[in-house]
Amino acid sequence: MTELFNHLPGVLLIYGVFLLQNATPGPNVLAVMGTSMSAGRRPGLAVSLGVAAGTLTWSTASVLGLSAVIASYGQLLIFIKIAGGCYLFYLAYKAFRSSWSSMDMDDPAVSRAKRSFTGNFRKGFLLNLTNPKAALGWIAIVSLGLDANSPVWVSSAIIVGTTSLSLRVHVLYTLAFSTQKMVTIYARARRPVQGILGSLFSIAGYKLLTAKVD
């Protein structure tokens, strides 16, 4: 029981920090919002599951020591940074292309591509996996509540808890932005919405590629 009370505050602190990071709109949330409005609830849920899978990957790797490796080798973080920036620019290109296109979201060819579960899952997973802020976040998170003497249940609680929080947060965004009202708004303003999303992804990609890595 003493062991539980010794480690529980650190685990709860990790949950709080992680929740704040994930609930704040960023590339992951933008992807979930855009997909939910343009393609519907199921594709939005696929992106959310992909993001959660990315969290599962990051949390497991960090618990196993990857965060310490990243902290020691800046080149690895630079590689993740470049990959993440390029992927954000790719998403920006897709959004701008949709904004410039005269094809509506209900066009069969567009709908098939947008509603691919595997493709949307992969988009969420790659977004999370190539986010250097996630790497830096996990370095901080692990240092908050995990040390060499931590019992196994602490590592398990970090992995399961953060993955569950990630899934819940992004599913809530999916449910909110896949309502009939939001889909109707998107259908009427598809081009400006996609243009805004493309701009936001471009800004995020630019800031990511030009930010200094300490």
Side-chain angles (χ1 to χ4, degrees), residues 105-137:
M105 60 178 282
D106 293 326
D107 183 274
V110 176
S111 296
R112 280 197 299 272
K114 284 186 174 180
R115 296 179 189 280
S116 166
F117 184 91
T118 303
N120 284 306
F121 178 91
R122 183 170 58 248
K123 177 167 71 173
F125 181 70
L126 289 176
L127 258 178
N128 201 339
L129 211 61
T130 59
N131 186 355
K133 288 186 177 180
L136 293 171

